[in-house]
Amino acid sequence: MRRWLPGLLLVAPSIAAIAVFVYGMLGWNFRLAMTDQHDEVSEGKFVGLENFTGIWDQPRWSISVNHAIVFTVVFVGGALLLGWLLAFLMEKGLRGEGTFRAIYLFPMAISFVATGVVWRWLMNSGAGERAVGLNRLFDVVGLEFLQWRWFRDQDWGMAAMAIPAIWQMSGYVMALFLAGFRGVPEELREAARVDGCTEWKVYRHIVLPMLRPVTLSALIILGHISLKAFDLIVAVSGKQIITDVPAVFMWVAVFDSHDPAKGATIAAYIVIAVSVFVIPYLVWSLRKERRS
């Protein structure tokens, strides 16, 4: 008892807080999602999975899910690609590395709300004399054909919505990949070069395989950020159908439509989607620790 009791007492407040405010609230949310409490005054009766199946009959839910998928694919893919490219340039010994690293990491210190306000102006859909932001820049430099409706585009608006998120998180991904690059022993690279490998083959067969854990970590982090995106989207476009995602739909259901059960159902789906990313990563991490 002398060995484990002091440590248990030290972490007991944190354990209690997590039990109540994380898992307790999750349990309460799932319980609410399984009731018919579609107003703020009734108690609601247990209906099982009726809300979880019925929500798929609502067109707005299908639209928000499709938008979330597009946003996730573009955001995760773009941030990984740009972050890897920046880390690769840094790893090759770019002059003024410390300055560039600070510049690339600076957007991460800004809140998504502030980022959304700025990028709402940059991605203004006005054209011609009404053009501002990026469309105005394209007009000035003679690239009018690049002017776009950005997040107001019916088909690719969510792809444009991912651009501010990529700008903000690519520096963080760069830091992860740069640490991974620097963690590859130089002896392995030199041995490969001595064996006749070109620089491309060194990266393909030595460096990139050793970056798989970093890539997986970045994928998990970016994936769960994209699935619960809310503040950036609301700051850029507000609560519009054209950029609707599950988190925005949840806000509308609870605070505009006053439907707690529907909001809890959407929140439950968001938790499940995030768990699809996080739980396999945790299992993989635990197995890796046990092997080592």
Side-chain angles (χ1 to χ4, degrees), residues 122-135:
L122 287 173
M123 296 192 300
N124 189 285
S125 61
E129 296 181 354
R130 299 183 297 105
V132 296
L134 293 176
N135 282 353

Side-chain angles (χ1 to χ4, degrees), residues 72-193:
T72 298
V73 171
V74 177
F75 167 55
V76 174
L80 284 175
L81 181 61
L82 182 57
W84 185 92
L85 179 61
L86 294 175
F88 176 77
L89 295 175
M90 292 284 193
E91 199 265 341
K92 299 305 289 184
L94 186 66
R95 181 175 296 179
E97 175 185 331
T99 301
F100 283 105
R101 188 165 59 238
I103 293 173
Y104 295 147
L105 283 172
F106 179 74
M108 190 182 174
I110 305 174
S111 68
F112 270 126
V113 174
T115 299
V117 171
V118 174
W119 279 89
R120 180 174 185 173
W121 177 81
L122 287 173
M123 296 192 300
N124 189 285
S125 61
E129 296 181 354
R130 299 183 297 105
V132 296
L134 293 176
N135 282 353
R136 178 60 178 170
L137 176 62
F138 294 147
D139 182 65
V140 170
V141 299
L143 299 175
E144 294 87 355
F145 65 93
L146 291 178
Q147 291 184 347
W148 192 28
R149 288 184 56 80
W150 300 102
F151 63 88
R152 298 185 186 276
D153 185 84
Q154 291 285 347
D155 299 321
W156 296 100
M158 289 309 299
M161 186 67 71
I163 296 176
I166 294 173
W167 173 82
Q168 183 155 2
M169 295 302 299
S170 59
Y172 175 70
V173 178
M174 175 211 68
L176 293 178
F177 277 120
L178 185 59
F181 278 126
R182 298 286 166 80
V184 178
E186 188 63 27
E187 293 78 7
L188 292 178
R189 306 190 192 198
E190 290 297 332
R193 295 187 184 104

